[in-house]
Amino acid sequence: MLSKKQARAFFLGGTLVTFLIFIGLTIFSLSKDVDQTNHENITEAVVRGKDLWDHNNCMGCHTLLGEGGYYAPELTKVIDRRGRPYIKAVLMSKVPWQPNGRKMVAYGFTNEQAEDLIAFFDWIDDIDLNGFDRVVSPLAKDKTN
Amino acid sequence: MTLYKGKRRTTTALVLSMGLFFAALLYLPGMLPFDSQVTDSFFRWWVVHLWVEGVWELIMGGILSFLLIKLTGVDREVIEKWLYVIVGLTFLSGVLGTGHHYYYIGVNKIWLIVGGIFSALEPLAFLAMALFAVNMYRKGEKKHPNKLALYWTLGAAIVSFVGAGLLGFAHTLPQTNLYTHGTLVTAMHGHLAFWGAYAMIVLAIISYAMPNMTGRKLYDTGRGRMAFWFSNVGMVGMTVAFGVAGVAQVYMERIMKIEFMKVQEMMEIHFYILIICATLFTTGILMYIADFIKHGQPTDEALIKE
Ligand SMILES: [Fe+2]
């Protein structure tokens, strides 16, 4: 039967090999040639929008790219679904937004901040998500192919 | 550093220390700042996934081995050999299994294949851990009187197999995950997995260590057993509620394309069930804490002869 030494070799060998492959695949998938995010479209406004997204912990309630909290709606493709004026109104609202009973904090963003967040969502919307972009709820309604 | 001072550097101690060291090291990739949400997310999973499906399993395996050696009396060599097999399976599947977080966040499709295959193998490590715990328990000659520690130890191994292994597998294949990604199905798996693999094993080691440290034979109390069953039944109930709600959510939102808040309203009943189960769970935990406070503090009780 298997000895302790063999078991150890299995552990160390397996770890080393899979870890090296993992590093290789990481380098590959972050390289420019296979970029699916339109990295060149990340403008300063997009970065400012992302900072706002991070600092206000939007992910605590919302999901984006399917990641985050499950309390509030997914925001990938939100511009397609709601349109800019609606989103801007929500972001700039001085009173808590609660269309269906669930309350969103009244962030009261400035016009520029709202524009930055919309630029961020706009960039997110064009990412190729390997098919998830066509599934995510209730995505771009009839654009499903 | 106790590791170096100790007379013997055992495999168990080594695996445990490796786990702790890499857990600290892996905190770093999460701190890297990127302009791209996608890259941020990519490295965040280096932390989260490689913690819970990698090095934390090392820690869990180490603690489990220690407890099994103490509680069952099975030979250390045998237990530690299987510990290597288990942590070997963990890394073999878990490192590349990180790919299951990369399916739909805006990186190359290669992860659908790599993540799909390797994360499908991840339950093997948990299966091995559960089989290992149960078999060692059966095989053991010594019957340690600390029944509570044994409950939590075997419970941790079995619940983490179900929660992390089976329920994780249930939505890890890319074809399924395309629909379940970002829904309550994830919450179903996450809750039970975390409870089994990380909370229960900690409660197990506390249950084992406390009587030794206080000198009191708190091995089997009515309240201790109730704490075990209440918290576990509560958690399983929560898992079922999340599961049913999750499947309903996937169907209504992703297939029927009904709007998020409408779906949430239709699922309201599950949230009430969730609260009831969470209350039961909390009651169990409070009982555990009550036992801990009552028996953890030094009193003269320990000095009184039995
Ligand atoms: Fe994972």
Side-chain angles (χ1 to χ4, degrees), chain A residues 1-2 6 8 11 71 81-82 86 106 113 120 136:
Chain A
M1 257 278 281
L2 185 80
Q6 287 167 321
R8 181 166 51 208
F11 165 58
Y71 183 74
R81 286 199 297 280
R82 296 292 195 182
Y86 179 98
Q113 288 175 318
F120 173 62
V136 66

Side-chain angles (χ1 to χ4, degrees), chain B residues 141-152:
Chain B
E141 312 264 289
K142 180 165 100 184
K143 286 283 171 274
H144 195 282
N146 194 337
K147 285 278 175 296
L148 288 178
L150 192 68
Y151 266 52
W152 286 108

Side-chain angles (χ1 to χ4, degrees), chain B residues 278-294:
Chain B
T279 312
L280 187 66
F281 171 78
T282 313
T283 312
I285 295 299
L286 288 177
M287 286 172 146
Y288 190 97
I289 295 173
D291 248 3
F292 182 78
I293 292 174
K294 186 156 173 253

